[in-house]
Amino acid sequence: MRILLWHVHGGWTDAFVRGDHTYVLPTSAVGGAWGLGRAGRDWPPTVLEVATEDLRDQDFDVVVLQRVEEIEECGRLLGRTPGRNLPAVFLEHNTPKGGVPSTGHPLRSQTEIPIVHVTHFNDLFWDSGIAPTTVIEHGIVDPGHRYTGESEQLAVVINEPVRRGRVTGTDLLGRFTDLAPLEVFGMGTSGLAQAAGLDPARIRIGGDLPTAQLHARLARSRAYLHPLRWTSLGLALLEAMHLGMPVLALATTEAARAVPPGAGAVSTNIEDLRRMARLLLDDPDEARARGTVARAAALERYGLHRFLADWDSVLERTAGRSRVLAVTERGAQ
């Protein structure tokens, strides 16, 4: 199958392009949100870059949409309309914003483009109206059991923690710095200590690292802290579990489903998380045992094979349902 998608979410795409298809990523000289292409990532040779101006000459079995604006962009660049003469699914990465739990999804009033949610929580909380929906939970390219826990610190991965503030639980970081230093990774982490009023001596900024380097650094920390209040299930949390790290997570959005109790602690009570953090910091053997539980759970629920099989089923169903209509309409042009 020949699949069109834009490079919007690198971590998710890293798993998606490991399937048995050809994946076409639009690229342009300026790059950015509409022409990023592979962006230098080490992806299989079945991931192709095609200049945006050449897309009209390409044939696609299905497009995986990730932004509403891509519907219009397909019309402009391909001369085909997703859901009408171009089979399409819409991948919703995010939790709803605004008037939750009554936030209406932008595609809620149509039935031609099914919505694929990445978590059951998102499917539950978005008002998807009459749009058909399904859930395909995340899949992770297994980095291997790399946990050492040698550093008595807590690791955190948050993109844009200064800008996003309470959404990512940035204000909660100070509740843990008295227990151990925090090493914070992600985009936009510079200036975090000053912006959040934290002791610079207790915050180490790891920055935005390539995936392999990030995994190596994460695995050295005693435990992984996931303070995010209102975001979809973070891939970094699942990666930490795959590495064999014990985790401390707010019991918000999908985290309570993703993290079993024996993997660390999941709670809306910060004191519960602090107590577990103390235990893990004081007892490396306990930390290692809980990390083993975390890894087993992550492999069972968020393994790559299940993820790709689920996507194959949805893509085949979507392409098959729309193929006759697509061929008919294209032939009439």
Side-chain angles (χ1 to χ4, degrees):
M1 193 175 296
R2 194 172 177 87
I3 301 168
L4 171 65
L5 73 156
W6 275 265
H7 183 168
V8 174
H9 190 306
W12 178 88
T13 307
D14 186 53
F16 183 68
V17 299
R18 308 287 172 165
D20 297 324
H21 307 290
T22 298
Y23 307 88
V24 176
L25 303 180
T27 186
S28 67
V30 297
W34 293 98
L36 194 58
R38 294 171 65 107
R41 288 181 176 258
D42 184 21
W43 285 338
T46 50
V47 181
L48 308 180
E49 293 183 321
V50 174
T52 53
E53 61 269 23
D54 295 332
L55 289 174
R56 189 175 290 263
D57 299 325
Q58 301 281 318
D59 283 323
F60 300 105
D61 294 290
V62 65
V63 57
V64 177
L65 306 165
Q66 300 171 77
R67 298 165 292 188
V68 175
E69 296 83 1
E70 291 174 10
I71 298 175
E72 182 177 346
E73 192 72 356
C74 283
R76 186 178 72 84
L77 294 175
L78 281 69
R80 299 171 64 184
T81 302
R84 191 171 68 192
N85 53 11
L86 175 61
V89 298
F90 188 93
L91 172 61
E92 181 53 71
H93 288 287
N94 300 314
T95 49
K97 305 298 187 292
V100 180
S102 300
T103 306
H105 195 277
L107 298 187
R108 65 188 179 279
S109 299
Q110 56 79 52
T111 59
E112 294 79 18
I113 302 175
I115 301 170
V116 178
H117 292 286
V118 297
T119 69
H120 291 279
F121 180 92
N122 290 2
D123 189 28
L124 180 67
F125 271 73
W126 274 108
D127 175 3
S128 297
I130 62 173
T133 70
T134 191
V135 176
I136 299 182
E137 296 186 281
H138 286 303
I140 301 293
V141 179
D142 183 18
H145 194 161
R146 303 176 61 182
Y147 177 70
T148 66
E150 62 200 78
S151 296
E152 293 185 22
Q153 63 180 23
L154 305 177
V156 190
V157 179
I158 304 177
N159 286 325
E160 303 289 348
V162 175
R163 178 181 63 83
R164 297 166 74 193
R166 284 181 57 83
V167 169
T168 54
T170 305
D171 58 303
L172 300 175
L173 297 178
R175 303 283 294 275
F176 295 90
T177 52
D178 64 314
L179 301 176
L182 305 184
E183 188 164 22
V184 184
F185 301 92
M187 297 181 289
T189 50
S190 61
L192 171 61
Q194 181 179 6
L198 302 172
D199 181 357
R202 307 294 285 176
I203 295 288
R204 301 167 183 168
I205 301 300
D208 185 21
L209 300 178
T211 302
Q213 293 181 34
L214 174 63
H215 290 164
R217 292 276 291 274
L218 286 176
R220 296 178 63 250
S221 292
R222 185 63 53 82
Y224 184 82
L225 175 63
H226 186 72
L228 286 74
R229 277 192 178 90
W230 191 254
T231 68
S232 196
L233 184 61
L235 288 178
L237 170 64
L238 301 181
E239 290 170 354
M241 293 171 65
H242 271 80
L243 290 168
M245 299 184 71
V247 296
L248 309 162
L250 286 185
T252 56
T253 63
E254 191 80 354
R257 173 176 166 81
V259 182
V266 184
S267 180
T268 54
N269 185 337
I270 300 300
E271 286 305 314
D272 290 343
L273 303 184
R274 282 174 52 85
R275 280 191 290 271
M276 180 56 66
R278 289 193 194 96
L279 174 61
L280 299 176
L281 290 163
D282 292 341
D283 191 339
D285 290 337
E286 180 73 17
R288 190 173 301 107
R290 288 181 178 268
T292 299
V293 172
R295 175 168 166 77
L299 288 172
E300 180 180 359
R301 176 163 289 162
Y302 301 104
L304 188 63
H305 179 77
R306 188 274 313 156
F307 171 79
L308 293 174
D310 287 353
W311 267 105
D312 281 349
S313 177
V314 166
L315 293 170
E316 286 290 347
R317 189 164 62 247
T318 300
R321 181 179 59 195
S322 306
R323 192 172 286 123
V324 174
L325 177 60
V327 171
T328 301
E329 291 202 8
R330 290 189 70 195
Q333 291 178 356

